[in-house]
Amino acid sequence: MTQHRESPSEEQEGQEARSGFSRLTSYRLLAWREDEAEVGVTVEEQHINRSGVLHGGMLATLLDAACGYAGTYSADPEKPRRAFTLSLNCQFIQAAKLGERLVARGVRSGGGKGVFFARAELRNEAGDLIGQGEGVFKYIAPR
């Protein structure tokens, strides 16, 4: 992935379609461009498991969101793209702690008209790898 960071434009923020779940988990779309996306969150109390570290479900959520956005970028706000997850495989590498800022960087790695493949890495501000994953996603037909 490139080091270039491009914040979502106003049109892209409209395509972002913040869901109740994204608001509940507090993650935000940080960058979105063709075949790439970044989502981030600061680890808060609601993200912590009973062992005092980032819950695995939150890690999976960040990887899933980064992958999904990476495959659904559209330069045309009149033609937003949507998809749903068919399969997601996650590896939990290192614990993240309360207060850490995390960024998941997703990349579309292939696919066709109906299905795409993507991978993502989750890192903290120090650049430590917290988790990684890959998934298969199905495009949703426009309404």
Side-chain angles (χ1 to χ4, degrees), residues 46-112:
Q46 71 266 25
H47 305 130
I48 297 297
N49 64 19
R50 64 186 181 146
S51 297
V53 297
L54 182 70
H55 190 283
M58 187 63 193
L59 182 143
T61 293
L62 294 167
L63 295 173
D64 184 50
C67 285
Y69 277 118
T72 57
Y73 175 83
S74 173
D76 183 351
E78 298 298 316
K79 296 180 182 178
R81 298 179 87 184
R82 303 273 191 258
F84 61 87
T85 308
L86 293 173
S87 168
L88 184 67
N89 184 8
C90 301
Q91 294 86 45
F92 306 93
I93 311 291
Q94 178 177 314
K97 297 172 185 65
L98 190 64
E100 280 191 287
R101 180 77 181 143
L102 305 176
V103 175
R105 299 178 70 188
V107 142
R108 182 183 176 276
S109 55

Side-chain angles (χ1 to χ4, degrees), residues 27-48:
Y27 76 78
R28 295 292 301 172
L29 180 63
L30 304 176
W32 199 14
R33 51 201 164 269
E34 190 69 33
D35 296 334
E36 299 181 11
E38 294 181 7
V39 297
V41 72
T42 299
V43 180
E44 299 174 350
E45 197 65 42
Q46 71 266 25
H47 305 130
I48 297 297

